[in-house]
Amino acid sequence: MKKFFNSISGWGNPGRALLCGILFSSTVPALAQQDHAPAYPLITHNPYFSIWSTTDKLNESTTTHWTGKSQSLLGVLKVDGEYYRFMGQAAPHYKTVLSAADETPYTCKYSFTAPTAGWEKATYADQDWKTGKAPFSDNENTTGTRWTSREVWVRRTFTLSELPKSPLLLRLFHDDDVEVYLNGKQIYASGGANGDLQIFELSDAAASTLKTGENVLALHCTNTGGLASLDAGLSVKVEDKTNEAIKLAKQTAVSVHATQTIYSFKCGAVNLNVTFTSPLLITDIKTLANPVSYISYEVKANDNKTHAVDIYQGISTDAAVNTPAQEVKAETYTAGGIKIMKAGTTEQPVLKKRGDDLRIDWGYLYVASPTYNARQYITTEDEAINSYLSTPGTNATVVGKQLMLNTLLPFGRVSKNGAEKHIAVGYDDIYSVQYFKTNLRPWWRDTKGATMDGVLAASLKNYLTVTAACRNADVKIYLGAYQAGGEKYARLCVLAYRQSISAHQLVKSPQGELLFLSKENFSNGSINTVDVTYPSAPLYLLYNPELLKGMLNGIFYYSESGKWAKPFAAHDLGTYPLANGQTYGEDMPVEECGNMVILAGAIVVAQKDPAYAKKHWKTLTTWTNYLAEAGFDPGNQLCTDDFAGHLAHNANLSIKAIVAIGAYAKMAAMLGDTKTAAKYSALAKDLATKWIAKDDAGDHYALVFDNKNTWSQKYNMVWDKVLGLNLFPQYVYDKEIKYYLGKQESFGLPLDSRKTYTKSDWIIWTATMATDRKDFDALVKPVYKYAQETASRVPLSDWHETTNGKMVGFQARSVVGGYFMKALKDKMTGKK
């Protein structure tokens, strides 16, 4: 208790008082903070405005967007002339040897048909090849050469007057398999796609092929399926020249809470607390939609003396670009009594890109400070720290690349009584998504006359109130999860909270409905994927079902408007941020119908109001009838675990259909339609009885109906308990749980008998079906071990290997909201 209290208590901050009362009135025996994470959330609002630290110490690495691209936050504290870096590292910088197309458009020779032998050699005669611009892509809007064949061969001739002095690096974007040659020698090869231009170090032997005079870079790329892209260049890394006079602050603690991440440091004679607050208050949509985070700094002397203190905070304009090569305009100004810096690309390609591994390159990044003699100025990232150490600039407007928005906060003389200052960091994306060809503004702009300057001013004015509400929410969320599942479970829920919410964007549809649209992060980039909504749902059902409605509304509209004419639910609404209709290549009929019907049922049960079901009853009836016809013994369909491939006779998918039919019957009963309720309730119970007989494999139930030597997690069955449907008798659950406990690996229960990888959200759902708390704990403990020990330093991955704890795929996804399933079940069933 003391450790937790110290991690959140301030020095003379009146906003802490509310939390103190909550802490000491609690009967919970231990309220420990989560002090380790695969990655640490710093600024988290939506899929584009999302900055993380991927090391345990804040000053051990460059902060990044959740995709891993640099979005540098730099912090330095000065004490009596001594400098201590407490936040971030300078982002790596590169000097171009041969530009890729993101920097400078270039032309090259290419062929879509297989060339003769020796095509990669410098002496090869390529005069019969076509000439075109890079990049090569099948994107119809590409600015380079359209590539729609299976293979492409590219030759690029360039001349160097001198050789680079630093080790040579390859910048490469390949989708899919690639071979790269320099002057006839293969320098790189890789299977699959890498999603974006990435840096690859080349061996000395490969780099030695480079020469003064004429060189040829040759590439061969094969599109094995899906998207197709190819672009390449050469670079060298620029040595970091940051002043060696800066010492490293000693980090003494870190704690992650639902809405805050708090770091503590010792900087010589001064202690420093740095708090990142993203006020994602799930029960308060207005605050949740506010696109502003706070960075707070609390300092106090640790030696009973007074010291001259100031803090430097740098925030890179890389947070406003997709690639560092994009030109940015930054400016400083004063408005509403506060100091503001603003930065965005000069191009402003609003909603022009869609896809997964992308960052926003339209709209504007803002940094604002109250009027306590703060100094703001703009430099390049390279110049930022040295400028602070010498003479901070006074630049009002700067145009360039990789700029830094610098804020200097003077604290004056600081004693043991301490002092606090804070800044606000916000993002105005102008238009957030396109929804069936209509560009939608962010939710906060729905207020007439709303401006970013006004939002920043109000955020700073309300700082104490908002941060106190965040601390209150942090305690409530932790305590709720603790009471449901104990300390390890509560810590997992805390890790999941901000990640899940910030994988969505909040907007209002042209029809006036709330839309809470997810991005399928590091999966395929879809927007509003139904089988991403499904696992995410418990968090929102538990705290604010209106947000879950916002995740379903667009899918209902898609069908009810006639834009989607099939008798089952769509998979998605498009590829983020363009929600113009499904772009996923294959339907999941049973999966998505089951998801939509179950979640609609969960909403009306949670709210004790059938109005939402009544509004969509015709559509729900169509989907339920599809399940009644095709759901019990599904054909060779994909389910939400599509990464595992097609599966016929999927017993877990069958459960989803049965539970959905039961949920439909419950909604009918709540609507007063007793005849329909009786019909579908009887059908669901009959199918459940048939399922038990058909899937029984002795000491467990099988993965598929036609192979008793298989097994799988039957996580879909949890809704039978959550919704009180009573379709499956208790012995079915008991048999499965007992079997699962014998199948666990070090880092969790495998998804099924085909592989040793798992989905952590499904494990929590499976554990929630246990009636014995010891069994629940036994299933949750390895998931917590994974979160603590994984070597994959990315925002929590939900798909990991149970034998070694490493990420298999996916990161930063909203589905970890499913961790709240145990807390939801307890609430829905009235368990205290």
Side-chain angles (χ1 to χ4, degrees), residues 269-465:
V270 168
N271 291 343
L272 167 68
N273 276 358
V274 180
T275 301
F276 295 88
T277 304
S278 293
L280 302 185
L281 300 180
I282 195 169
T283 58
D284 180 352
I285 287 180
K286 182 178 179 180
T287 303
L288 178 72
N290 191 336
V292 176
S293 278
Y294 302 109
I295 307 178
S296 312
Y297 317 88
E298 297 173 281
V299 295
K300 74 173 182 178
N302 58 38
D303 61 356
N304 293 318
K305 299 179 181 179
T306 62
H307 302 276
V309 173
D310 65 44
I311 283 179
Y312 161 83
Q313 178 68 66
I315 298 177
S316 171
T317 61
D318 279 355
V321 302
N322 180 43
T323 68
Q326 290 178 284
E327 185 181 72
V328 172
K329 179 182 178 181
E331 58 183 313
T332 65
Y333 62 97
T334 301
I338 61 174
K339 295 184 176 182
I340 300 173
M341 290 182 286
K342 171 184 176 182
T345 61
T346 55
E347 181 187 5
Q348 288 297 301
V350 179
L351 296 169
K352 295 299 184 183
K353 297 180 178 68
R354 66 173 186 172
D356 192 7
D357 191 4
L358 293 174
R359 289 135 303 277
I360 195 168
D361 57 3
W362 71 89
Y364 297 93
L365 172 69
Y366 289 81
V367 181
S369 171
T371 55
Y372 33 51
N373 298 319
R375 185 171 185 178
Q376 295 183 325
Y377 59 100
I378 302 161
T379 63
T380 64
E381 282 192 20
D382 288 341
E383 298 167 342
I385 293 297
N386 285 328
S387 175
Y388 167 58
L389 296 178
S390 54
T391 305
T394 57
N395 304 17
T397 302
V398 176
V399 176
K401 299 176 182 179
Q402 292 191 281
L403 305 180
M404 188 69 88
L405 306 182
N406 307 294
T407 302
L408 182 59
L409 299 172
F411 280 77
R413 304 295 298 183
V414 173
S415 69
K416 64 179 182 180
N417 295 323
E420 186 272 351
K421 293 186 187 295
H422 53 271
I423 63 172
V425 184
Y427 205 98
D428 178 9
D429 48 11
I430 304 175
Y431 288 101
S432 300
V433 300
Q434 186 176 97
Y435 183 72
F436 296 104
K437 303 301 181 179
T438 299
N439 292 350
L440 301 183
R441 293 190 181 275
W443 182 274
W444 63 268
R445 280 195 176 274
D446 191 52
T447 302
K448 187 176 181 179
T451 65
M452 197 63 191
D453 289 351
V455 166
L456 290 165
S459 296
L460 289 172
K461 179 182 178 181
N462 298 328
Y463 167 75
L464 288 178
T465 302

Side-chain angles (χ1 to χ4, degrees), residues 101-241:
D102 67 325
E103 296 179 278
T104 305
Y106 63 87
T107 58
C108 53
K109 295 283 190 175
Y110 72 94
S111 174
F112 291 140
T113 58
T116 56
W119 67 272
E120 75 280 7
K121 299 183 182 300
T123 55
Y124 182 80
D126 59 13
Q127 62 268 20
D128 293 332
W129 287 32
K130 296 179 181 178
T131 300
K133 292 183 178 180
F136 293 83
S137 172
D138 62 352
N139 187 331
E140 60 186 17
N141 297 317
T142 184
T143 56
T145 299
R146 188 91 187 276
W147 167 32
T148 57
S149 62
R150 177 175 170 80
E151 296 177 85
V152 64
W153 289 261
V154 174
R155 288 174 52 84
R156 184 179 179 189
T157 302
F158 62 100
T159 302
L160 293 181
S161 59
E162 62 178 352
L163 295 178
K165 296 180 174 60
S166 301
L168 190 64
L169 306 170
L170 173 67
R171 292 188 71 221
L172 179 65
F173 180 9
H174 63 94
D175 192 345
D176 296 288
D177 305 347
V178 71
E179 302 169 291
V180 184
Y181 299 86
L182 182 58
N183 294 327
K185 180 175 182 179
Q186 187 175 97
I187 60 172
Y188 185 82
S190 178
N194 69 342
D196 196 3
L197 277 164
Q198 295 180 350
I199 298 286
F200 301 96
E201 294 187 9
L202 297 176
S203 67
D204 290 342
S208 67
T209 309
L210 196 67
K211 60 184 181 180
T212 56
E214 188 173 274
N215 295 266
V216 174
L217 184 69
L219 305 96
H220 171 217
C221 193
T222 303
N223 178 25
T224 58
L227 302 177
S229 291
L230 181 64
D231 186 20
L234 299 171
S235 298
V236 294
K237 188 174 182 180
V238 178
E239 183 180 354
D240 182 9
K241 297 180 180 179

